[in-house]
Amino acid sequence: MKISTALLVLAAGASMAGTAGAADIVGNPKAAPNKIEQCIGCHGIPEYKGTFPEVYRVPKIGGQSAKYIEAALHAYKKGDRNHPSMRGIAASLSDQDIADIAAYYSQQSPSK
């Protein structure tokens, strides 16, 4: 009984530590320019239409909310949003990369 209680306390502490670490990540838009090369290839072209996995209009992400961009990239990374190219790109990003990219694009004008 004492061992299982100790394990529960350790598990709860580890869980809270992981949550606190994620909450401590602050996006730095100045760190993003060397991280967005993959983004501008599609999202930086006016009226660009992608053809994989189907023909679609690539959305502009400049001016979007940082929280929205972060949530979208994390969803692609986990596979909750379905787009093979975006999943591959998001999977290569760290949580700090995602926060930096989101901070960068949230400060751009909606036309970029």
Side-chain angles (χ1 to χ4, degrees), residues 20-90:
D24 292 339
I25 296 174
V26 176
N28 178 1
K30 292 181 180 178
N34 64 343
K35 300 178 182 182
I36 60 167
E37 291 90 2
Q38 296 179 85
C39 308
I40 59 176
C42 296
H43 295 283
I45 301 171
E47 303 299 318
Y48 183 67
K49 292 184 181 173
T51 59
F52 181 79
E54 60 198 35
V55 176
Y56 61 95
R57 186 168 174 242
V58 176
K60 293 297 191 181
I61 54 177
Q64 286 283 358
S65 156
K67 287 183 180 188
Y68 173 79
I69 294 170
E70 283 188 53
L73 286 171
H74 283 293
Y76 283 122
K77 188 172 184 172
K78 288 192 295 189
D80 294 340
R81 286 183 94 165
N82 186 22
H83 189 280
S85 297
M86 284 301 302
R87 182 163 188 194
I89 291 167

